[in-house]
Amino acid sequence: MGMNDTSQKARIFSWLLFDFANTSFSVMMVTFAFPLYFKNIICQGQPRGDALWGMSVSISMLLVALISPVLGAEADYSGRRKRFLFAFTLMAVVSTALLSFSGPGMVLFAAALFILANIGFEGGLVFYDAWLPEITSPRSIGRVSGYGFAMGYLGALAILLVSLPLLSKGIVPANIPNLKLSFLIVALFFAVFSAPIFLMLRDTKGSAGATSGGERRRERGSSFAHSIREVGYTIRHIMNYPDLARFLLAYFFYNDAILTVIAFSSIYAQNTLGFTTGELITFFMTVQTTAIFGSVVFGFITDKIGPKRTIVITLFIWFVVILMAIFSMSKETFFMTGLVAGMSMGSSQSASRSLMARLTPKEHVTEFFGFYDGSFGKASAIIGPLVFGIVSAQAGSQKIALASLLVFFGLGLLILTGVRTRATAEAAPEASRIE
């Protein structure tokens, strides 16, 4: 790469810091603090708050799922990956900061800002993840991916510790000033620790679609119309990449279940087991701690035995997690479940990102990660919580709804067994593409 070890390590560290930065948004604004603020404060505890929150999450995920492949293709085509990442990050930071002005009854204002913020967060992951194959070698890709998730969970732990004094009085009307301040802190945290990636990483010719036919495409100038045609080509010819197609389908099912567990963990703990706000904070801090450990350890395991085998191991761990949660009758048992869930949460997602990087043709890395992070990753985030909610409502039991997730894990595991880990690029060389 023409760089010394110091500069390469600095590039990797700046990439890792971005995971440290953006996971603060995920844990505070998507998983824990803001969902309860939206329900208890903005919607003033009304039952419609759950439906409005679910709708806001689904709308943001749907929009990201629709635009990610096109934006990924445009980034590959134009060579402006960093600009797209910066734009999405700025959208998330500014919208999060503006949420500190939301209050009781401001439903549309808060929902619209959250949708923008979550689009910024989720959309940015497409361009962030696509840098992984460039900043490290194939031999260490699993390790670096694991470090990324570990840094993310460390960031989540850090923001929870920083916000603890502000959240300790509860997510209640009397504590609104502190809650608003916590949202500003999240925005500042995200902005400060994401900055290094924009200073250290550069869009290289290899990532900009500047090889072979990609060079001719760049000479014609950037065009979203071309990017849409490129995505259409990918969809029509996805079976030219059979292992990638199988993996994406498997990922859709098991990631569906993982995201559903994450989305409903706080609700399940509070509604079924009676966790207080303080106990929830402790619970999430515990989960982040084991997730850090799991991400690092399984990152090394991924490089030793390969990402596919690692994913299989973590999916079996998820089976254990679901069964433990179903049979948990006390808070202590659920805390133990959280420890195991944290271990498998970071490792399964880290190994999945590593496998995706190995299966993706370099000349279309951002476009294919658009399908991975966007169309498949975000679409599963829409369907999973919806299925969980319907099963829970119809059966009158969140435990039965949890049991339904075993089907999704099982389908993902079954499809994954048919994935070969040879590079997808070998299956459909660039020479066969229609310009």
Side-chain angles (χ1 to χ4, degrees), residues 74-117:
E74 173 66 10
D76 278 334
Y77 174 48
S78 66
R80 296 173 179 175
R81 183 187 302 165
K82 188 165 73 170
R83 294 187 188 182
F84 281 101
L85 179 59
F86 180 78
F88 276 88
T89 301
L90 185 64
M91 181 191 300
V93 169
V94 172
S95 299
T96 301
L98 290 175
L99 280 171
S100 64
F101 293 98
S102 65
M106 302 174 67
V107 176
L108 290 178
F109 175 79
L113 282 176
F114 171 78
I115 289 171
L116 288 175

Side-chain angles (χ1 to χ4, degrees), residues 240-242 358-361 363 421-430 432:
N240 287 340
Y241 309 95
R358 291 191 182 190
L359 293 174
T360 300
E363 65 273 13
T421 55
R422 293 182 65 184
T424 296
E426 296 176 7
E430 177 68 19
S432 68

Side-chain angles (χ1 to χ4, degrees), residues 21-354:
N22 70 4
T23 309
S24 65
F25 174 88
S26 177
V27 71
M28 284 289 289
M29 308 305 291
V30 181
T31 305
F32 176 45
F34 189 72
L36 294 176
Y37 180 85
F38 187 88
K39 170 70 182 293
N40 297 341
I41 307 299
I42 294 173
C43 295
Q44 299 170 308
Q46 297 177 20
R48 68 179 183 134
D50 289 335
L52 291 169
W53 173 249
M55 189 181 302
S56 300
V57 174
S58 295
I59 290 173
S60 64
M61 291 296 194
L62 177 61
L63 291 173
V64 173
L66 291 174
I67 66 175
S68 290
V70 177
L71 291 175
E74 173 66 10
D76 278 334
Y77 174 48
S78 66
R80 296 173 179 175
R81 183 187 302 165
K82 188 165 73 170
R83 294 187 188 182
F84 281 101
L85 179 59
F86 180 78
F88 276 88
T89 301
L90 185 64
M91 181 191 300
V93 169
V94 172
S95 299
T96 301
L98 290 175
L99 280 171
S100 64
F101 293 98
S102 65
M106 302 174 67
V107 176
L108 290 178
F109 175 79
L113 282 176
F114 171 78
I115 289 171
L116 288 175
N118 205 35
I119 288 174
F121 165 71
E122 296 285 357
L125 291 177
V126 175
F127 310 101
Y128 169 71
D129 285 347
W131 249 306
L132 178 60
E134 290 185 26
I135 63 171
T136 187
S137 67
R139 288 186 305 141
S140 59
I141 201 167
R143 204 177 321 155
V144 174
S145 180
Y147 289 156
F149 275 96
M151 283 290 283
Y153 294 122
L154 184 62
L157 183 61
I159 197 66
L160 285 171
L161 286 171
V162 170
S163 304
L164 184 59
L166 301 173
L167 301 176
S168 59
K169 294 181 180 179
I171 303 177
V172 294
N175 198 35
I176 286 178
N178 286 332
L179 297 173
K180 289 183 176 184
L181 180 58
S182 72
F183 303 151
L184 278 175
I185 291 174
V186 171
L188 182 62
F189 191 98
F190 196 166
V192 169
F193 290 104
S194 65
I197 197 171
F198 302 109
L199 300 175
M200 296 301 302
L201 296 188
R202 297 287 183 269
D203 283 318
T204 61
K205 290 183 178 180
S207 69
T211 58
S212 63
E215 183 64 45
R216 295 190 298 274
R217 290 196 296 270
R218 282 193 71 190
E219 289 175 359
R220 294 199 299 266
S222 177
S223 166
F224 272 98
H226 172 88
S227 300
I228 292 172
R229 290 195 301 271
E230 190 74 5
V231 172
Y233 178 93
T234 303
I235 294 172
R236 291 194 307 272
H237 296 81
I238 192 69
M239 294 314 295
N240 287 340
Y241 309 95
D243 296 306
L244 176 63
R246 291 190 193 100
F247 168 65
L248 287 174
L249 185 59
Y251 176 73
F252 175 87
F253 283 111
Y254 70 74
N255 191 57
D256 186 325
I258 293 172
L259 293 177
T260 303
V261 171
I262 294 171
F264 282 91
S265 57
S266 60
I267 296 174
Y268 184 87
Q270 201 168 60
N271 292 354
T272 302
L273 298 173
F275 273 57
T276 64
T277 300
E279 289 170 334
L280 277 175
I281 294 173
T282 304
F283 174 77
F284 280 113
M285 290 174 64
T286 302
V287 171
Q288 307 308 319
T289 303
T290 56
I292 295 169
F293 179 75
S295 297
V296 173
V297 171
F298 276 94
F300 281 95
I301 293 174
T302 298
D303 286 334
K304 289 291 185 181
I305 68 174
K308 176 184 171 181
R309 292 177 181 175
T310 304
I311 296 170
V312 170
I313 292 172
T314 62
L315 291 182
F316 277 111
I317 296 175
W318 274 112
F319 277 106
V320 174
V321 168
I322 298 299
L323 292 174
M324 288 178 67
I326 291 172
F327 293 105
S328 291
M329 302 301 293
S330 65
K331 294 178 180 179
E332 291 75 18
T333 308
F334 196 72
F335 263 103
M336 291 299 298
T337 304
L339 288 172
V340 182
M343 177 73 71
S344 55
M345 183 169 58
S347 54
S348 56
Q349 292 177 322
S350 171
S352 297
R353 184 164 64 183
S354 299

